Amino acid sequence: MIDPYEARAKREAATRQERTDQPATEVVRRDVMMPVMSSINSRIRSYEQKLEEWKEVERKAALLALPQEKLNRIDECRSHLQHILLEYNSLQKQLQQETQVEAAQLLAGNSLLQLNQQDIDYLESGCGKFLVELKTLSQPAAAAPADPQIKAAFENGDYDQVINLYAQTGSLPGQVAAAETTFQYGQALLKNHQEAEARKVLGELLARMRLQKGQDELLLQLLQTGADLNFALESHDEARKQYEELVRLSIEKGAHKEEWAGLQLAALQPGGAAPSEMKEYATLLRNYLAYSPKRDGYNVAEQADKFMLAYPASRLVSNVNLINKTTREQADAKLNQGIKRIEAQAGERKAGDPPVAGGQVPSGTPHQGDVSTAGGSQAVVTPQSPVGNEKSLQDDYDKGMAHIQAKEYDKAIERFNRLSRTPYEAKARSQIEEASKLGAQDMRQKAAELFVRASNNRDSEEKRKLLLSSRDLLQSILVKYPQSGLTDKVQRNLTRIEAELKAVDAVGTGSKPAASGGAYVPPKTAAPPATTL
């Protein structure tokens, strides 16, 4: 605080010393602004102190175990106070720069009326009482240690168990669940297609992690999961904001913008993709976020393949390829684990002796009809035990899966057919359909490549040979893979090829019989024939 009379005396002395032409009355009149400036300075100091209090409360909010509603209320009150402080600082700067006393008085009068109303609004908003309430709370809640049971269930892919354990585990008073445990719970909800609940849980955890230091890795994971989830739920504006933040933080840590977050952000730019593509991609992305190799196998990868066939020129191709690659690698890894387990079990069977009936353990491997003696009496060995039969069936099933992985679809179908009329029949039937679909897609792709080569070839004879080869592959699909589900598409492809063959024959010097596999086929003179075999 400055004594206005002392300040006036100093200014008058300085004025006389500098011999200015400014009359003494002007200096005197400026003194009328001193109470206004003092009031403004006082309000600025008071609001700066309150703003620091709000910032301190906000820093501790992550450890107070507050609900999201109160966290939003803290942000609202702090923003309101910060706005008022900015207005007072702006008014102070304008008054200091104003050279005319009358203009300064007019500016102060109008602006202070508005600022006083904002002061009243802040007092009536209840933010002051809320701040006092937050200050009187007990010590900040400490984070509980990570739950080992939830962690083990999550790593084993038992997401239902994760959700049940989290619901049963209540935090102690003054404690909040560990960030790692809450993240696993949110991921488990996502894996079970509970997207709305997962977004709420992960969103609250993200708000906590933003205010904590040393949690950069988890913060990046939460940002990516939250952005992907918003994209999948078609909340594009929120997803775009999170991807922008994720790209910025990733680049600061040495990552490249061309990675996943950059690709997703590019897809959300205006004109990135058609609405139909975006909707189908959102469905694919939801299934990708919920993907479990143990449960879903190659389903998401197949969905990605279908997207590529439907939209080969889409700007989302890079994103879909990454989804395809990631899910296939995880499915392959899961399949390899099963193969290794079977190999280990086979090794154990060779090392040990199988049990037989009658309590005897012979040195060799028993067969049906073999006998063993005990105390002079004979005991007939029973056939293979149910346990051994179960292992044999599992062995056949895993070998079939290995053939699928190696893209040996015919061998896979043959192996799965051995499981008919067994407890594995239902599982084998689904894999037969899977192998048929993959084999048909593979052959159809090769047929498409031959068709494209034929379309680009100017030599009529060579073009005819390529079309015939493409037709042979498509006809083979109808014979080898009747369960592929692609019969209608193959029929349409065959109709197109027949039309192309007719066009080639029409421009040739003469009608040439169409040969397929060395067999003579009479030339077609009527409409395109039926392509069913």
Side-chain angles (χ1 to χ4, degrees):
M1 300 295 292
I2 300 174
D3 186 353
Y5 299 98
E6 180 181 355
R8 179 171 57 188
K10 289 182 179 180
R11 284 196 298 274
E12 288 175 350
T15 303
R16 288 191 299 270
Q17 184 178 357
E18 294 174 0
R19 297 179 181 181
T20 61
D21 297 334
Q22 185 180 18
T25 55
E26 180 69 17
V27 177
V28 173
R29 292 172 63 191
R30 276 193 168 275
D31 288 337
V32 300
M33 298 301 299
M34 289 304 297
V36 175
M37 295 298 295
S38 298
S39 175
I40 293 174
N41 292 339
S42 176
R43 299 308 304 160
I44 288 176
R45 287 194 298 271
S46 176
Y47 281 133
E48 285 177 343
Q49 293 175 358
K50 284 184 170 59
L51 186 60
E52 286 299 321
E53 293 176 354
W54 278 114
K55 289 181 178 179
E56 182 63 24
V57 167
E58 192 174 25
R59 282 192 290 268
K60 294 181 179 180
L63 300 176
L64 287 172
L66 296 178
Q68 187 64 36
E69 292 78 8
K70 288 195 174 182
L71 293 176
N72 294 338
R73 178 64 172 158
I74 291 174
D75 183 67
E76 179 185 345
C77 290
R78 180 187 55 76
S79 299
H80 189 181
L81 187 61
Q82 193 170 24
H83 175 73
I84 298 175
L85 179 58
L86 289 174
E87 293 289 337
Y88 271 112
N89 282 324
S90 177
L91 177 60
Q92 182 193 52
K93 185 176 181 180
Q94 292 178 22
L95 291 177
Q96 289 173 346
Q97 295 175 349
E98 184 59 59
T99 58
Q100 298 294 326
V101 175
E102 288 79 3
Q105 286 180 319
L106 182 61
L107 175 63
N110 293 335
S111 299
L112 283 176
L113 284 176
Q114 298 177 3
L115 286 173
N116 288 336
Q117 184 59 46
Q118 292 187 32
D119 292 337
I120 295 172
D121 293 341
Y122 177 77
L123 293 174
E124 292 179 349
S125 67
C127 287
K129 294 181 179 179
F130 184 48
L131 180 62
V132 173
E133 175 188 344
L134 294 175
K135 286 182 176 181
T136 57
L137 290 177
S138 58
Q139 292 294 327
D147 193 309
Q149 290 183 320
I150 291 179
K151 181 179 180 180
F154 182 81
E155 291 176 350
N156 290 332
D158 192 352
Y159 304 117
D160 290 331
Q161 181 71 0
V162 172
I163 296 172
N164 292 333
L165 288 174
Y166 192 89
Q168 296 171 5
T169 303
S171 300
L172 297 174
Q175 278 192 342
V176 62
E180 177 187 356
T181 301
T182 304
F183 181 67
Q184 290 165 351
Y185 170 61
Q187 288 280 15
L189 291 171
L190 193 55
K191 297 294 184 182
N192 276 11
H193 287 282
Q194 296 175 248
E195 289 88 358
E197 184 64 22
R199 180 163 62 172
K200 178 182 177 182
V201 171
L202 295 174
E204 292 178 356
L205 181 59
L206 177 60
R208 285 172 50 191
M209 292 301 101
R210 288 183 189 277
L211 303 174
Q212 290 188 9
K213 295 181 179 180
Q215 297 285 349
D216 294 341
E217 182 178 354
L218 181 57
L219 177 62
L220 292 176
Q221 291 179 346
L222 284 167
L223 277 172
Q224 177 170 319
T225 304
D228 288 341
L229 186 51
N230 282 313
F231 195 165
L233 296 176
E234 302 185 52
S235 299
H236 294 165
D237 291 337
E238 186 64 25
R240 190 180 298 109
K241 293 177 183 177
Q242 291 180 321
Y243 281 130
E244 289 173 351
E245 181 180 1
L246 180 58
V247 168
R248 177 177 57 80
L249 293 177
S250 298
I251 292 176
E252 291 176 0
K253 296 182 179 298
H256 298 287
K257 186 178 179 180
E258 290 76 18
E259 292 179 350
W260 176 253
L263 291 173
Q264 293 286 88
L265 182 59
L268 287 170
Q269 299 307 315
S276 59
E277 295 177 35
M278 294 292 281
K279 182 170 288 294
E280 188 162 346
Y281 179 71
T283 303
L284 173 62
L285 188 57
R286 283 199 301 273
N287 293 333
Y288 172 59
L289 293 174
Y291 176 69
S292 171
K294 181 179 179 181
R295 178 191 63 198
D296 301 323
Y298 292 91
N299 289 339
V300 176
E302 291 175 10
Q303 187 180 354
D305 289 335
K306 292 179 181 178
F307 184 94
M308 295 294 294
L309 290 174
Y311 307 100
S314 173
R315 290 181 59 180
L316 294 163
V317 166
S318 298
N319 311 56
V320 176
N321 280 336
L322 278 176
I323 292 176
N324 195 339
K325 178 183 177 182
T326 302
T327 53
R328 282 193 183 277
E329 288 177 350
Q330 294 182 29
D332 290 345
K334 188 66 179 177
L335 182 59
N336 288 333
Q337 289 179 2
I339 294 174
K340 290 179 180 179
R341 177 175 58 83
I342 292 301
E343 291 175 349
Q345 290 178 351
E348 291 176 359
R349 288 200 299 269
K350 290 181 180 179
D353 293 326
V356 295
Q360 302 301 316
V361 183
S363 58
T365 302
H367 299 279
Q368 185 174 0
D370 290 348
V371 296
S372 61
T373 59
S377 62
Q378 293 185 343
V380 179
V381 180
T382 59
Q384 187 179 12
S385 65
V387 175
N389 189 41
E390 174 71 19
K391 291 181 178 180
S392 176
L393 295 175
Q394 182 65 46
D395 188 23
D396 281 338
Y397 182 83
D398 289 338
K399 286 181 179 179
M401 295 297 294
H403 285 311
I404 289 180
Q405 182 188 8
K407 297 185 178 180
E408 299 170 344
Y409 304 119
D410 295 343
K411 293 182 179 180
I413 293 173
E414 179 184 358
R415 179 68 63 171
F416 288 127
N417 280 331
R418 298 181 183 180
L419 299 174
S420 60
R421 298 182 181 180
T422 70
Y424 279 66
E425 182 176 9
K427 293 172 61 177
R429 187 184 302 114
S430 64
Q431 295 305 327
I432 289 173
E433 294 175 358
E434 177 75 11
S436 299
K437 183 186 300 181
L438 293 174
Q441 288 175 349
D442 189 40
M443 294 184 69
R444 187 165 175 255
Q445 180 63 33
K446 293 177 181 178
E449 293 172 359
L450 291 172
F451 183 81
V452 172
R453 287 173 56 191
S455 300
N456 296 330
N457 200 305
R458 296 184 179 180
D459 184 81
S460 298
E461 186 62 28
E462 186 65 23
K463 183 173 185 177
R464 180 177 168 73
K465 291 179 180 178
L466 291 170
L467 288 172
L468 290 173
S469 299
S470 179
R471 187 181 69 177
D472 288 344
L473 286 174
L474 292 173
Q475 289 175 340
S476 298
I477 293 175
L478 300 177
V479 176
K480 296 175 65 175
Y481 307 116
Q483 298 173 313
S484 65
L486 300 176
T487 302
D488 293 340
K489 293 182 178 179
V490 171
Q491 294 282 12
R492 289 195 294 269
N493 296 148
L494 284 169
T495 302
R496 177 72 182 277
I497 290 177
E498 293 292 346
E500 292 292 328
L501 284 170
K502 286 187 64 177
V504 172
D505 290 340
V507 299
T509 57
S511 179
K512 297 182 181 180
S516 175
Y520 173 80
V521 180
K524 310 297 188 298
T525 57
T531 54
T532 54
L533 299 181

